[in-house]
Coordinates of all heavy atoms in Angstrom, one line a residue:
L162 N 111.0 68.5 97.1 CA 110.5 69.6 96.4 C 111.4 69.8 95.1 O 112.6 69.6 95.1 CB 110.6 70.9 97.2 CG 109.8 70.9 98.5 CD1 110.1 72.1 99.4 CD2 108.3 70.9 98.2
P163 N 110.7 70.2 94.0 CA 111.5 70.3 92.7 C 112.3 71.6 92.8 O 111.9 72.7 93.1 CB 110.4 70.4 91.7 CG 109.2 71.0 92.4 CD 109.3 70.4 93.8
L164 N 113.6 71.4 92.3 CA 114.5 72.6 92.3 C 114.9 72.9 90.9 O 115.0 72.0 90.0 CB 115.8 72.2 93.1 CG 115.6 71.9 94.6 CD1 116.9 71.6 95.2 CD2 114.9 73.0 95.3
A165 N 115.1 74.1 90.6 CA 115.4 74.6 89.2 C 116.8 74.0 88.8 O 117.7 74.1 89.6 CB 115.4 76.1 89.1
P166 N 116.9 73.5 87.6 CA 118.2 72.8 87.2 C 119.3 73.8 87.1 O 120.5 73.4 87.2 CB 117.8 72.2 85.9 CG 116.6 73.0 85.4 CD 115.8 73.4 86.6
R167 N 119.0 75.1 86.9 CA 120.1 76.0 86.7 C 120.7 76.5 88.0 O 121.7 77.3 88.0 CB 119.6 77.2 85.9 CG 118.6 78.1 86.6 CD 118.0 79.2 85.8 NE 117.1 80.0 86.5 CZ 115.9 79.8 86.8 NH1 115.3 78.6 86.4 NH2 115.1 80.6 87.5
K168 N 120.2 76.2 89.1 CA 120.6 76.7 90.4 C 121.9 76.0 90.9 O 122.1 74.8 90.7 CB 119.5 76.6 91.5 CG 118.2 77.3 91.1 CD 118.4 78.8 91.1 CE 117.1 79.5 90.8 NZ 117.2 81.0 90.9
S169 N 122.8 76.8 91.5 CA 124.0 76.2 92.0 C 124.1 76.2 93.5 O 123.3 77.0 94.2 CB 125.2 77.0 91.5 OG 125.2 78.3 92.0
L170 N 125.0 75.5 94.1 CA 125.2 75.5 95.6 C 125.6 76.9 96.0 O 125.2 77.3 97.1 CB 126.2 74.4 96.0 CG 126.5 74.3 97.5 CD1 125.2 73.9 98.2 CD2 127.5 73.2 97.7
A171 N 126.4 77.5 95.2 CA 126.9 78.9 95.6 C 125.7 79.8 95.8 O 125.7 80.6 96.8 CB 127.9 79.4 94.6
G172 N 124.8 79.8 94.9 CA 123.6 80.7 95.0 C 122.7 80.3 96.1 O 122.2 81.2 96.8
F173 N 122.6 79.0 96.4 CA 121.8 78.5 97.5 C 122.4 79.0 98.8 O 121.6 79.5 99.7 CB 121.8 77.0 97.4 CG 120.9 76.3 98.4 CD1 119.5 76.1 98.1 CD2 121.3 75.9 99.7 CE1 118.7 75.4 99.0 CE2 120.4 75.3 100.6 CZ 119.1 75.1 100.2
I174 N 123.7 78.9 99.0 CA 124.3 79.3 100.2 C 124.2 80.8 100.4 O 123.9 81.3 101.5 CB 125.8 78.9 100.3 CG1 125.9 77.4 100.3 CG2 126.5 79.5 101.4 CD1 127.3 76.8 100.2
A175 N 124.3 81.6 99.3 CA 124.2 83.0 99.4 C 122.8 83.4 99.8 O 122.6 84.3 100.6 CB 124.6 83.6 98.0
A176 N 121.8 82.8 99.2 CA 120.4 83.1 99.6 C 120.2 82.8 101.1 O 119.5 83.5 101.8 CB 119.5 82.3 98.7
A177 N 120.7 81.6 101.5 CA 120.5 81.2 102.9 C 121.1 82.2 103.9 O 120.5 82.6 104.9 CB 121.1 79.8 103.2
I178 N 122.4 82.6 103.6 CA 123.0 83.6 104.5 C 122.3 84.9 104.5 O 122.1 85.5 105.6 CB 124.5 83.7 104.1 CG1 125.3 82.4 104.3 CG2 125.2 84.9 104.8 CD1 126.7 82.4 103.8
T179 N 121.9 85.4 103.3 CA 121.2 86.7 103.2 C 119.9 86.6 104.0 O 119.5 87.5 104.7 CB 121.0 87.1 101.8 OG1 122.3 87.0 101.1 CG2 120.4 88.4 101.7
G180 N 119.1 85.6 103.7 CA 117.8 85.4 104.4 C 118.0 85.4 105.9 O 117.2 86.1 106.6
A181 N 118.9 84.7 106.4 CA 119.2 84.6 107.9 C 119.6 86.0 108.4 O 119.1 86.4 109.5 CB 120.3 83.6 108.2
A182 N 120.5 86.7 107.7 CA 121.0 88.0 108.2 C 119.8 89.0 108.2 O 119.7 89.8 109.1 CB 122.1 88.4 107.3
V183 N 119.0 88.9 107.1 CA 117.9 89.9 107.1 C 116.9 89.7 108.2 O 116.5 90.6 108.9 CB 117.1 89.7 105.7 CG1 115.7 90.4 105.8 CG2 117.9 90.3 104.6
A184 N 116.5 88.4 108.5 CA 115.6 88.1 109.6 C 116.1 88.5 110.9 O 115.5 89.2 111.7 CB 115.2 86.7 109.5
V185 N 117.3 88.1 111.2 CA 117.9 88.4 112.6 C 118.2 89.8 112.7 O 117.9 90.4 113.7 CB 119.2 87.5 112.8 CG1 119.9 87.9 114.1 CG2 118.9 86.0 112.8
G186 N 118.7 90.5 111.6 CA 119.0 91.9 111.7 C 117.7 92.7 111.9 O 117.7 93.7 112.6
F187 N 116.7 92.3 111.2 CA 115.4 93.1 111.3 C 114.9 93.0 112.7 O 114.6 94.0 113.4 CB 114.4 92.6 110.3 CG 113.1 93.4 110.4 CD1 112.9 94.6 109.7 CD2 112.1 92.9 111.2 CE1 111.7 95.3 109.8 CE2 110.9 93.6 111.3 CZ 110.7 94.8 110.6
W188 N 114.7 91.8 113.2 CA 114.0 91.7 114.5 C 114.8 92.0 115.7 O 114.3 92.2 116.8 CB 113.4 90.3 114.7 CG 112.0 90.2 114.0 CD1 110.9 90.9 114.4 CD2 111.6 89.5 112.9 NE1 109.8 90.6 113.6 CE2 110.2 89.7 112.6 CE3 112.3 88.6 112.0 CZ2 109.5 89.2 111.6 CZ3 111.6 88.0 111.0 CH2 110.2 88.3 110.8
T189 N 116.1 92.1 115.6 CA 117.0 92.5 116.7 C 117.4 94.0 116.6 O 117.7 94.6 117.7 CB 118.3 91.7 116.7 OG1 119.0 91.8 115.5 CG2 118.0 90.2 117.0
Y190 N 117.3 94.6 115.4 CA 117.8 96.0 115.3 C 116.8 96.9 114.6 O 116.4 97.9 115.2 CB 119.1 96.0 114.6 CG 119.7 97.4 114.5 CD1 120.2 98.1 115.6 CD2 119.8 98.0 113.2 CE1 120.7 99.4 115.4 CE2 120.3 99.3 113.0 CZ 120.7 100.0 114.2 OH 121.2 101.2 114.0

Side-chain angles (χ1 to χ4, degrees):
L162 298 173
L164 302 178
R167 67 186 184 279
K168 301 293 184 177
S169 66
L170 181 60
F173 187 89
I174 293 173
I178 293 174
T179 305
V183 165
V185 174
F187 179 85
W188 274 295
T189 59
Y190 180 69

